[in-house]
Amino acid sequence: MRAPLSWIRDFTPIEAPPSEIADALNQLGLEVDDVDAPGAEIHDVVAARIVQVVPHPDADKIRLADIEFGGGRALRVVCGAPNIAAGMVVPFAQVGAMLPGDFRITKRKIRGVVSEGMLCSSRELGLGDDHDGILVLPDDTELGADVRDVLGLHDVVFELSITPNRPDAMGIVGVARDLAAHFGLPFALPTAPAIELVDRIGDVSVVVDAPERCPRLVARVATVVMGESPAWMQQRLRLAGMRPISNVVDVTNYVMLERCRPLHAFDLDRLAGRGIVVRVATDGERMTTLDGVERTLDGGDLVICDGERSPQAIAGIMGGRDSEVDASTTKILLESAYFEPAGISRSSKRLGLRSEASARFERGVDPNGAAAGADRALELLAEVAGAVADPATIDRYPRPVARERVTVRSARVNAILGTDLTAAEVRGLVEPLGIETEGSDPFIAACPTDRPDLAREIDVIEEVARRVGLQHIRRTVASAPAGSVGRLSEAQRERRLVADVLVGAGFCEAMSMPLISPADLEHVGLTADATVEVANPLRAEESILRPSVRPGLLRAVAGNAARGEPDVALFELGTVFGPPRSGDLLPDERTMLGAVIAGTVRRAPREPDRAVHVGDAVDVVHALVAALRLADLAIEAVAVPGLHASRSARILVDGADIGAVGEVAPEVLARLDLVGPAATLELDVGALCAGRRRPNRFVPISSFPPVNFDLAFVVADDVAAAEIAATVRAAAGDLLERVELFDEFRSDALGPGRRSVAFALRCRAHDRTLTDTEIAPLRTAVIDAVVAAHDAILRG
């Protein structure tokens, strides 16, 4: 963004030196890349007229131009620009002249012909990047006049880097408003006159078929006389980095640069159907844009069509060749619109077509400035193109955008910034920025609609910081409530406790990718029905956000097994994602604990190793319950997708389902090329830690010896071991210290659909040594309870 100082002064009477203005702009967040005085590096460049152009005798792409520049002086110059022609007035750098970049012109021989200087383009004069041809000056320019005077190059231009959140600063008006506020100067922006709204202007119609993509469109009609812009307008456009084209096009560019209001002028007589239609393009539709390139559109592009629905412009990006204004134009339809920013950005990137207009629309221009922008253009057109505008206006604006109303507290401002401002001082700082205020403290800040970045209290606080200046805000040390420094939150401590329990049980922590593919879910027996898809996945294998940590953990187990390490125990505390809840825009996120143990359990030297079974995962659940002192845990046998049909269960805390535990289904193991068994669990950590807790009371350790005995029962396959263990606890009473499943056995001898489960029981009293007379009835009571409750048979 190039902002000439003279243009800024049209709106505020700033007289500070350029260096002070640059410091102010930097403080205001409008970073100054360069302060350019284009004329300072230019010497001995004058206006000259081309008398004749002849071919070079020894080259095809360069020509010889004879020029005169006053006082009877005439010279020959060698030039490769394609646009030179006899009668043109152009900038001529004489031998010895200086150009930007410390470039001195010397007499040179080019392919045998001596060049007595150089004709200059805009880029060679430091006026922009246009290098397509020699800069053409107005025909009535005095020959021999200093180009700096002709082009107004004594002006100062600020080269600004505008951040994406400040679309208003991509117009001179936005920059001037900030500077006026900083220097305490008046800011004057003429108010737009009242307009006469109509549905049609004569036979001219406007239809908006995509109001969600084009929330507002203003159309005006005017007769014009085509020609060149006056010198003052051309000078300002060049200083701002744009090439003058014609008076009508220059006015639309001028208003865009001044008001951050992109406009487009259609030749009304070249619009079939005498009107425009705004609609979404169809896939494969084609049109030729102003740069002469045929573009292929798709359903994501927004187009402005003529009355017969033929595309005439890619909305917010570039006009079309079929309806562009030219020397024959006598009547124009002026369009001033607000387009949805994200759509413009997507189309611009997809088409590889970026323009000054798209750079502004994709940031978000002021929807409430559309009519005023059209009025400003017609005012200028009346001055430079003899325009006569129809007084009527077509304004398609079904849902007007209101100012964002934000509650601002002076206490919050001071807490964030470390300042000591009163509410009145805060209001005085933000009001010059166009923010209207109501009330005292807290007060309501009604933010201007040309500032889409102002939507929350913190945004207004940032404006206060810009006005005060970060360099003027004293340094303070952040404070925290007494006793809270260095502490973990309760949720953080419990999350660490969960991890500590798994590590203590011999598990290693793993971290898997949150991006997976639907095939990953299918491999572990899950479905991809309720998943969150990634809009633009980098790889097909990472197209959805994981709804479970199980796929990543099982993939890690399979990877270890493939490398000769089948016996692993891994856990992960990770985020899983689900579809947004009702009323939410973002996916539902939960922290889940997943764990997998696979292969063989290595036991003490006196006990044989054994294969992993579901009890190993259930033991981890009980360890978590004990560590968190949960009061109500239930494990209900039920088939869980991806787990063994008869060796899986849901885990309930306080009656709420928080996860599952079980052995991995045989078909899943086969798909992962795992030979041995594997057990897994997955729990919602938030729900787990939210469970009711047992009182944290001390129970002294008994000094008396325990009594250990084992019981094995034959039960049906659908009877869960957890249910049997619960029956044992209830029957044994307070003397039971621990019950643990240690064996599960299947055999044809037990009968079809039946299995043997064996439990180790430990009993102990705190005040005595238990005797056989006490243990015998307890043992009998446990056996009778299990037999009665689960149709069990005691194995001898």
Side-chain angles (χ1 to χ4, degrees), residues 179-205:
L179 287 173
H182 179 85
F183 288 105
L185 298 172
F187 171 77
L189 183 64
T191 57
I195 58 176
E196 175 193 348
L197 295 180
V198 298
D199 189 60
R200 297 172 68 93
I201 302 176
D203 61 348
V204 177
S205 63

Side-chain angles (χ1 to χ4, degrees), residues 2-164:
R2 290 172 60 86
L5 180 54
S6 63
W7 206 343
I8 294 173
R9 285 175 174 156
D10 283 356
F11 303 97
T12 184
I14 187 168
E15 296 297 336
S19 60
E20 189 175 339
I21 295 174
D23 289 341
L25 289 168
N26 283 321
Q27 173 182 316
L28 292 164
L30 308 179
E31 184 179 344
V32 179
D33 289 338
D34 189 24
V35 179
D36 184 20
E41 297 182 274
I42 298 175
H43 299 283
D44 297 325
V45 180
V46 299
R49 186 182 303 278
I50 299 176
V51 178
Q52 69 169 343
V53 178
V54 298
H56 192 288
D58 193 30
D60 294 332
K61 294 185 179 181
I62 55 178
R63 293 180 289 172
L64 309 179
D66 293 332
I67 64 166
E68 60 176 355
F69 52 101
R73 294 172 292 177
L75 295 171
R76 173 161 284 191
V77 178
V78 179
C79 182
N83 68 321
I84 59 172
M88 289 172 49
V89 179
V90 296
F92 169 58
Q94 309 172 64
V95 173
M98 291 296 296
L99 294 176
D102 201 25
F103 179 53
R104 182 178 294 277
I105 301 300
T106 61
K107 185 183 294 188
R108 297 178 58 195
K109 182 179 287 188
I110 302 175
R111 302 294 292 265
V113 178
V114 175
S115 181
E116 300 282 352
M118 186 176 77
L119 306 184
C120 302
S121 68
S122 294
R123 187 169 71 180
E124 287 153 351
L125 293 174
L127 299 180
D129 295 326
D130 185 10
H131 194 56
D132 293 338
I134 299 303
L135 177 63
V136 181
L137 303 177
D139 290 340
D140 59 356
T141 303
E142 179 185 354
L143 300 185
D146 191 324
V147 164
R148 293 175 295 183
D149 297 326
V150 175
L151 298 177
L153 300 184
H154 299 293
D155 204 347
V156 174
V157 180
F158 298 97
E159 186 79 40
L160 305 176
S161 287
I162 305 300
T163 53

Side-chain angles (χ1 to χ4, degrees), residues 35 87 94 139 165 226 247 263 275 423 497 499 599 734:
V35 179
Q94 309 172 64
D139 290 340
N165 67 317
M226 297 297 295
N247 50 7
L263 306 166
L497 176 60
D734 293 339

Side-chain angles (χ1 to χ4, degrees), residues 27-28 44 49 138 147 209 266 338 465 467 490 495-496 647:
Q27 173 182 316
L28 292 164
D44 297 325
R49 186 182 303 278
V147 164
D209 282 348
F266 295 93
Y338 170 70
R467 288 297 320 281
E490 185 67 24
R495 181 185 172 114
R496 289 195 178 187
R647 302 174 202 172

